[in-house]
Amino acid sequence: MAVSIKSAREIELMRQSARLLEDVFSGLEEAIRPGISTKEIDRLGEKLIRAHGCEPNFLNYNGYPASICVSVNDEVVHGIPHAAHILQEGDIVSLDAGLIYKGYHSDMARTFGVGKISEEAARLIAVTRQSFFEGIKMAKAGNHLFDISNAIDAYVTPHGYGIVRDLVGHGIGTRLHEDPQVPNFAQKRKGILLRAGMTLAIEPMINMGRADVEWLDDDWTVVTEDGSLSAHYENTILVTDGEPEILTMSGKCE
Ligand code: MF3
Ligand code: CO
């Protein structure tokens, strides 16, 4: 398993890629409202990505047919946008998007409430977000990769939520998915030693009910088996000798 260490030049390109993606996300967040279709969200996202002179990295990735993954309520990730799928007040919607800037990939996800949402749904979104921050505290040179996984699990599990095990975070750089895989649940081993210059996409996916997921017949959309709500929170980050740098959080996006 070869985990790439980015040079100073590459890190700067990753930073720029991530900043542009953050900008795309703030445009998408503003568009979320009851009545918008998931297809309109995808079209807006693709337009914003291309307006920056970038390419959507999800489009045609292993045949994925859109630029933005739009996953509603019990859809965990990789929801395919449809014109007939209209967001309703009270839904929660996970947007996952990425782009390529001068050959460098960024990847990011957030779950938003549509209009007013239940307290339970808001709590799921908040815990999912915080689990990322618990994990990233461990993303320092000299720590081991699975310190991140263990920290996410230790924070989420007492809430009684199910941590998705079938999908994981990943290294990122000149490819969307690079080594290593970054699980969000406790591991028996330590994992690789983290080194400055590694860039990772850390992305907990948390279900209100059980952890089990299944794939719909479209071969993409991942849903919770028990029909419970699911939330997703992802950033592209840089491991340094000190505090990690959250490349997709330079200021515009919570
Ligand atoms: N952000 C997603 C991930 O890391 C990428 C989705 S690939 C796509 O798994 F093909 F679904 F777009
Ligand atoms: Co990802």
Side-chain angles (χ1 to χ4, degrees), residues 103-123:
Y104 284 82
H105 290 253
S106 47
D107 187 4
M108 167 175 184
R110 294 286 185 274
T111 301
F112 301 110
V114 182
K116 192 169 161 42
I117 61 172
S118 71
E119 247 174 65
E120 292 80 5
R123 198 173 315 126

PDB file of all heavy atoms in Angstrom, residues 103-123:
ATOM      1  N   GLY A 103      -5.564  19.003 -12.070  1.00  0.00           N
ATOM      2  CA  GLY A 103      -5.168  17.613 -11.833  1.00  0.00           C
ATOM      3  C   GLY A 103      -5.353  17.146 -10.393  1.00  0.00           C
ATOM      4  O   GLY A 103      -5.121  15.971 -10.096  1.00  0.00           O
ATOM      5  N   TYR A 104      -5.770  18.051  -9.489  1.00  0.00           N
ATOM      6  CA  TYR A 104      -5.888  17.682  -8.073  1.00  0.00           C
ATOM      7  C   TYR A 104      -7.347  17.654  -7.607  1.00  0.00           C
ATOM      8  O   TYR A 104      -8.102  18.586  -7.848  1.00  0.00           O
ATOM      9  CB  TYR A 104      -5.018  18.607  -7.204  1.00  0.00           C
ATOM     10  CG  TYR A 104      -3.582  18.179  -7.379  1.00  0.00           C
ATOM     11  CD1 TYR A 104      -2.849  18.610  -8.491  1.00  0.00           C
ATOM     12  CD2 TYR A 104      -3.009  17.259  -6.527  1.00  0.00           C
ATOM     13  CE1 TYR A 104      -1.563  18.149  -8.725  1.00  0.00           C
ATOM     14  CE2 TYR A 104      -1.725  16.790  -6.743  1.00  0.00           C
ATOM     15  CZ  TYR A 104      -1.008  17.228  -7.847  1.00  0.00           C
ATOM     16  OH  TYR A 104       0.251  16.749  -8.077  1.00  0.00           O
ATOM     17  N   HIS A 105      -7.673  16.562  -6.934  1.00  0.00           N
ATOM     18  CA  HIS A 105      -9.055  16.304  -6.517  1.00  0.00           C
ATOM     19  C   HIS A 105      -9.343  16.854  -5.126  1.00  0.00           C
ATOM     20  O   HIS A 105      -8.483  16.816  -4.245  1.00  0.00           O
ATOM     21  CB  HIS A 105      -9.309  14.793  -6.465  1.00  0.00           C
ATOM     22  CG  HIS A 105      -9.347  14.144  -7.802  1.00  0.00           C
ATOM     23  ND1 HIS A 105     -10.505  13.691  -8.392  1.00  0.00           N
ATOM     24  CD2 HIS A 105      -8.350  13.869  -8.689  1.00  0.00           C
ATOM     25  CE1 HIS A 105     -10.227  13.151  -9.569  1.00  0.00           C
ATOM     26  NE2 HIS A 105      -8.924  13.248  -9.776  1.00  0.00           N
ATOM     27  N   SER A 106     -10.581  17.298  -4.942  1.00  0.00           N
ATOM     28  CA  SER A 106     -11.096  17.576  -3.603  1.00  0.00           C
ATOM     29  C   SER A 106     -12.436  16.858  -3.471  1.00  0.00           C
ATOM     30  O   SER A 106     -13.060  16.502  -4.475  1.00  0.00           O
ATOM     31  CB  SER A 106     -11.246  19.088  -3.376  1.00  0.00           C
ATOM     32  OG  SER A 106     -11.884  19.683  -4.484  1.00  0.00           O
ATOM     33  N   ASP A 107     -12.870  16.652  -2.238  1.00  0.00           N
ATOM     34  CA  ASP A 107     -14.054  15.826  -1.966  1.00  0.00           C
ATOM     35  C   ASP A 107     -14.627  16.301  -0.630  1.00  0.00           C
ATOM     36  O   ASP A 107     -13.869  16.496   0.328  1.00  0.00           O
ATOM     37  CB  ASP A 107     -13.600  14.362  -1.895  1.00  0.00           C
ATOM     38  CG  ASP A 107     -14.732  13.359  -1.792  1.00  0.00           C
ATOM     39  OD1 ASP A 107     -15.913  13.755  -1.853  1.00  0.00           O
ATOM     40  OD2 ASP A 107     -14.416  12.152  -1.658  1.00  0.00           O
ATOM     41  N   MET A 108     -15.940  16.464  -0.573  1.00  0.00           N
ATOM     42  CA  MET A 108     -16.562  17.083   0.602  1.00  0.00           C
ATOM     43  C   MET A 108     -18.026  16.692   0.658  1.00  0.00           C
ATOM     44  O   MET A 108     -18.656  16.508  -0.383  1.00  0.00           O
ATOM     45  CB  MET A 108     -16.404  18.596   0.414  1.00  0.00           C
ATOM     46  CG  MET A 108     -17.179  19.497   1.289  1.00  0.00           C
ATOM     47  SD  MET A 108     -16.648  21.208   0.925  1.00  0.00           S
ATOM     48  CE  MET A 108     -17.609  22.047   2.172  1.00  0.00           C
ATOM     49  N   ALA A 109     -18.581  16.556   1.857  1.00  0.00           N
ATOM     50  CA  ALA A 109     -20.010  16.251   1.994  1.00  0.00           C
ATOM     51  C   ALA A 109     -20.571  16.931   3.235  1.00  0.00           C
ATOM     52  O   ALA A 109     -19.860  17.116   4.237  1.00  0.00           O
ATOM     53  CB  ALA A 109     -20.238  14.745   2.083  1.00  0.00           C
ATOM     54  N   ARG A 110     -21.842  17.297   3.150  1.00  0.00           N
ATOM     55  CA  ARG A 110     -22.572  17.882   4.275  1.00  0.00           C
ATOM     56  C   ARG A 110     -24.000  17.359   4.225  1.00  0.00           C
ATOM     57  O   ARG A 110     -24.535  17.128   3.143  1.00  0.00           O
ATOM     58  CB  ARG A 110     -22.666  19.414   4.146  1.00  0.00           C
ATOM     59  CG  ARG A 110     -21.352  20.163   4.256  1.00  0.00           C
ATOM     60  CD  ARG A 110     -20.849  20.198   5.694  1.00  0.00           C
ATOM     61  NE  ARG A 110     -19.647  21.033   5.808  1.00  0.00           N
ATOM     62  CZ  ARG A 110     -18.407  20.604   5.591  1.00  0.00           C
ATOM     63  NH1 ARG A 110     -18.165  19.343   5.251  1.00  0.00           N
ATOM     64  NH2 ARG A 110     -17.384  21.428   5.744  1.00  0.00           N
ATOM     65  N   THR A 111     -24.637  17.249   5.395  1.00  0.00           N
ATOM     66  CA  THR A 111     -26.079  16.976   5.433  1.00  0.00           C
ATOM     67  C   THR A 111     -26.802  18.238   5.896  1.00  0.00           C
ATOM     68  O   THR A 111     -26.425  18.829   6.916  1.00  0.00           O
ATOM     69  CB  THR A 111     -26.391  15.800   6.378  1.00  0.00           C
ATOM     70  OG1 THR A 111     -25.691  14.645   5.902  1.00  0.00           O
ATOM     71  CG2 THR A 111     -27.891  15.513   6.422  1.00  0.00           C
ATOM     72  N   PHE A 112     -27.807  18.643   5.132  1.00  0.00           N
ATOM     73  CA  PHE A 112     -28.585  19.853   5.432  1.00  0.00           C
ATOM     74  C   PHE A 112     -30.018  19.474   5.773  1.00  0.00           C
ATOM     75  O   PHE A 112     -30.552  18.491   5.248  1.00  0.00           O
ATOM     76  CB  PHE A 112     -28.609  20.790   4.222  1.00  0.00           C
ATOM     77  CG  PHE A 112     -27.255  21.248   3.758  1.00  0.00           C
ATOM     78  CD1 PHE A 112     -26.726  20.804   2.553  1.00  0.00           C
ATOM     79  CD2 PHE A 112     -26.507  22.136   4.531  1.00  0.00           C
ATOM     80  CE1 PHE A 112     -25.479  21.235   2.122  1.00  0.00           C
ATOM     81  CE2 PHE A 112     -25.254  22.567   4.106  1.00  0.00           C
ATOM     82  CZ  PHE A 112     -24.740  22.117   2.892  1.00  0.00           C
ATOM     83  N   GLY A 113     -30.660  20.286   6.616  1.00  0.00           N
ATOM     84  CA  GLY A 113     -32.092  20.146   6.849  1.00  0.00           C
ATOM     85  C   GLY A 113     -32.833  20.939   5.784  1.00  0.00           C
ATOM     86  O   GLY A 113     -32.368  21.992   5.358  1.00  0.00           O
ATOM     87  N   VAL A 114     -33.987  20.435   5.357  1.00  0.00           N
ATOM     88  CA  VAL A 114     -34.830  21.160   4.396  1.00  0.00           C
ATOM     89  C   VAL A 114     -35.952  21.819   5.204  1.00  0.00           C
ATOM     90  O   VAL A 114     -36.798  21.111   5.779  1.00  0.00           O
ATOM     91  CB  VAL A 114     -35.420  20.198   3.340  1.00  0.00           C
ATOM     92  CG1 VAL A 114     -36.256  20.980   2.324  1.00  0.00           C
ATOM     93  CG2 VAL A 114     -34.316  19.396   2.651  1.00  0.00           C
ATOM     94  N   GLY A 115     -35.944  23.161   5.269  1.00  0.00           N
ATOM     95  CA  GLY A 115     -36.916  23.854   6.115  1.00  0.00           C
ATOM     96  C   GLY A 115     -36.733  23.417   7.559  1.00  0.00           C
ATOM     97  O   GLY A 115     -35.610  23.194   8.022  1.00  0.00           O
ATOM     98  N   LYS A 116     -37.852  23.267   8.261  1.00  0.00           N
ATOM     99  CA  LYS A 116     -37.770  22.883   9.676  1.00  0.00           C
ATOM    100  C   LYS A 116     -37.680  21.359   9.786  1.00  0.00           C
ATOM    101  O   LYS A 116     -38.490  20.649   9.184  1.00  0.00           O
ATOM    102  CB  LYS A 116     -39.018  23.417  10.398  1.00  0.00           C
ATOM    103  CG  LYS A 116     -38.879  23.326  11.909  1.00  0.00           C
ATOM    104  CD  LYS A 116     -39.978  24.097  12.630  1.00  0.00           C
ATOM    105  CE  LYS A 116     -40.125  23.649  14.080  1.00  0.00           C
ATOM    106  NZ  LYS A 116     -38.850  23.426  14.788  1.00  0.00           N
ATOM    107  N   ILE A 117     -36.701  20.875  10.532  1.00  0.00           N
ATOM    108  CA  ILE A 117     -36.552  19.422  10.703  1.00  0.00           C
ATOM    109  C   ILE A 117     -36.735  19.040  12.172  1.00  0.00           C
ATOM    110  O   ILE A 117     -36.693  19.907  13.057  1.00  0.00           O
ATOM    111  CB  ILE A 117     -35.173  18.910  10.188  1.00  0.00           C
ATOM    112  CG1 ILE A 117     -34.015  19.548  10.960  1.00  0.00           C
ATOM    113  CG2 ILE A 117     -35.035  19.169   8.694  1.00  0.00           C
ATOM    114  CD1 ILE A 117     -32.661  18.929  10.631  1.00  0.00           C
ATOM    115  N   SER A 118     -36.944  17.754  12.421  1.00  0.00           N
ATOM    116  CA  SER A 118     -37.178  17.285  13.793  1.00  0.00           C
ATOM    117  C   SER A 118     -35.907  17.448  14.631  1.00  0.00           C
ATOM    118  O   SER A 118     -34.796  17.495  14.097  1.00  0.00           O
ATOM    119  CB  SER A 118     -37.592  15.810  13.784  1.00  0.00           C
ATOM    120  OG  SER A 118     -36.469  15.006  13.442  1.00  0.00           O
ATOM    121  N   GLU A 119     -36.122  17.498  15.952  1.00  0.00           N
ATOM    122  CA  GLU A 119     -34.983  17.590  16.863  1.00  0.00           C
ATOM    123  C   GLU A 119     -34.074  16.380  16.725  1.00  0.00           C
ATOM    124  O   GLU A 119     -32.853  16.483  16.799  1.00  0.00           O
ATOM    125  CB  GLU A 119     -35.496  17.620  18.303  1.00  0.00           C
ATOM    126  CG  GLU A 119     -35.262  18.908  19.019  1.00  0.00           C
ATOM    127  CD  GLU A 119     -35.923  18.901  20.377  1.00  0.00           C
ATOM    128  OE1 GLU A 119     -35.500  18.092  21.235  1.00  0.00           O
ATOM    129  OE2 GLU A 119     -36.889  19.683  20.544  1.00  0.00           O
ATOM    130  N   GLU A 120     -34.685  15.204  16.531  1.00  0.00           N
ATOM    131  CA  GLU A 120     -33.908  13.961  16.398  1.00  0.00           C
ATOM    132  C   GLU A 120     -33.009  14.030  15.171  1.00  0.00           C
ATOM    133  O   GLU A 120     -31.849  13.610  15.207  1.00  0.00           O
ATOM    134  CB  GLU A 120     -34.828  12.738  16.260  1.00  0.00           C
ATOM    135  CG  GLU A 120     -35.632  12.400  17.488  1.00  0.00           C
ATOM    136  CD  GLU A 120     -36.878  13.264  17.650  1.00  0.00           C
ATOM    137  OE1 GLU A 120     -37.184  14.088  16.751  1.00  0.00           O
ATOM    138  OE2 GLU A 120     -37.542  13.134  18.683  1.00  0.00           O
ATOM    139  N   ALA A 121     -33.546  14.552  14.069  1.00  0.00           N
ATOM    140  CA  ALA A 121     -32.759  14.641  12.834  1.00  0.00           C
ATOM    141  C   ALA A 121     -31.620  15.648  13.012  1.00  0.00           C
ATOM    142  O   ALA A 121     -30.488  15.400  12.582  1.00  0.00           O
ATOM    143  CB  ALA A 121     -33.656  15.048  11.667  1.00  0.00           C
ATOM    144  N   ALA A 122     -31.927  16.758  13.682  1.00  0.00           N
ATOM    145  CA  ALA A 122     -30.895  17.781  13.902  1.00  0.00           C
ATOM    146  C   ALA A 122     -29.774  17.216  14.771  1.00  0.00           C
ATOM    147  O   ALA A 122     -28.586  17.492  14.542  1.00  0.00           O
ATOM    148  CB  ALA A 122     -31.513  19.012  14.553  1.00  0.00           C
ATOM    149  N   ARG A 123     -30.154  16.383  15.756  1.00  0.00           N
ATOM    150  CA  ARG A 123     -29.139  15.786  16.631  1.00  0.00           C
ATOM    151  C   ARG A 123     -28.247  14.823  15.838  1.00  0.00           C
ATOM    152  O   ARG A 123     -27.030  14.804  15.992  1.00  0.00           O
ATOM    153  CB  ARG A 123     -29.811  15.066  17.801  1.00  0.00           C
ATOM    154  CG  ARG A 123     -28.873  14.805  18.957  1.00  0.00           C
ATOM    155  CD  ARG A 123     -29.592  14.234  20.186  1.00  0.00           C
ATOM    156  NE  ARG A 123     -30.820  14.919  20.506  1.00  0.00           N
ATOM    157  CZ  ARG A 123     -32.012  14.321  20.645  1.00  0.00           C
ATOM    158  NH1 ARG A 123     -32.126  13.012  20.515  1.00  0.00           N
ATOM    159  NH2 ARG A 123     -33.080  15.024  20.944  1.00  0.00           N
TER     160      ARG A 123
END
